[in-house]
Amino acid sequence: QKMPDALRTHTCTVLMPLRHVAFGGNMNNSQICARGYGTVFTAPAMLHAMDQLGVAQYITRLGLALEGPAALEAGKQDWLQHSSWQGLRRYVEDSLVLQDPMELFVAQNLALDGLLYPLLFSHYVDDHIALQGGTAVAMLSSFIPEWHTESARWIDAVIKTAAAESAHNRELLSQWYGRYAEQARAALAPVAGLALPAAADQALASVHTALDARARKAGLDV
């Protein structure tokens, strides 16, 4: 089935700036590896950093397949200038200067990724684009939501272990989660509006509720 031109263009508009978000995730997990303590924490973070690089590369190849190199340049300009992306860009850039590796772990891997990937690859790509003739996009990007689901097990296990260490840990992690989940949701709201104009609030509320449940199960006070 041929993908309609308007749908192809909209898909590129929504997904191409995410290359830069994934590059930020790559840098942040490299930072977690550099500043963290203990191989059991730092080694998986380095692997996760390379996975984020892989996500950026998958999105790049998707853009090239759909609309060629022009899609990548358009995505870059949207990331730098389009109003819908500036909140998310600010969140990513602010996260790049966080010094505490555990705070960065919460901000990047739990809060931001925990909202972004279900929103844009489950609600947008799988539930919206695929049903309108974009099944090829869902197939080409299927690695990404599968990777997110698998990596969430590691992220939740880290949070659960750290929270169980002490009441102080649980309190601090809970504060970080609450702060960054709200900031990430606010940053993603305009992106959700761009991707799913008729169902943005509902989709964002759904993924936030699911993420709160993950955090609660991992031992945080939500």
Side-chain angles (χ1 to χ4, degrees):
Q1 182 181 5
K2 189 179 187 299
M3 191 173 181
D5 290 345
L7 184 65
R8 186 172 66 247
T9 299
H10 188 259
T11 301
C12 285
T13 299
V14 172
L15 296 185
M16 287 311 104
L18 298 181
R19 298 167 65 233
H20 305 281
V21 182
F23 280 129
N26 168 263
M27 295 173 69
N28 280 337
N29 278 279
S30 298
Q31 175 84 317
I32 291 167
C33 179
R35 290 186 173 273
Y37 292 92
T39 307
V40 72
F41 179 52
T42 58
M46 193 67 246
L47 295 174
H48 201 62
M50 299 312 297
D51 286 342
Q52 291 271 16
L53 182 60
V55 170
Q57 291 172 334
Y58 263 74
I59 295 171
T60 299
R61 293 184 68 178
L62 182 62
L64 291 172
L66 291 176
E67 293 201 328
L72 308 186
E73 180 60 28
K76 176 183 176 182
Q77 293 307 315
D78 283 348
W79 178 248
L80 293 174
Q81 299 177 17
H82 196 289
S83 59
S84 293
W85 292 98
Q86 298 317 299
L88 184 56
R89 180 181 163 209
R90 184 178 300 111
Y91 185 103
V92 171
E93 291 180 355
D94 285 350
S95 72
L96 293 174
V97 297
L98 291 177
Q99 299 296 304
D100 187 302
M102 201 65 206
E103 182 181 4
L104 183 54
F105 186 93
V106 172
Q108 173 68 54
N109 295 338
L110 183 60
L112 178 58
D113 290 353
L115 293 175
L116 185 149
Y117 288 103
L119 175 69
L120 292 178
F121 288 94
S122 295
H123 285 269
Y124 177 63
V125 173
D126 290 345
D127 295 344
H128 181 68
I129 294 300
L131 297 180
Q132 296 189 56
T135 51
V137 174
M139 290 173 64
L140 288 169
S141 62
S142 62
F143 152 79
I144 298 173
E146 290 170 3
W147 160 78
H148 175 262
T149 299
E150 184 67 25
S151 63
R153 295 168 57 195
W154 163 65
I155 293 162
D156 293 355
V158 170
I159 296 295
K160 186 174 184 177
T161 301
E165 283 287 324
S166 68
H168 173 74
N169 276 13
R170 186 177 69 253
E171 181 182 357
L172 185 56
L173 289 167
S174 300
Q175 289 174 0
W176 282 340
Y177 171 74
R179 180 195 313 158
Y180 288 114
E182 284 300 325
Q183 289 180 8
R185 178 173 178 164
L188 285 167
V191 179
L194 186 68
L196 299 160
D201 292 343
Q202 181 181 357
L204 202 50
S206 174
V207 296
H208 197 173
T209 298
L211 184 61
D212 279 350
R214 273 182 60 193
R216 203 174 292 114
K217 188 176 180 181
L220 302 188
D221 300 321
V222 178

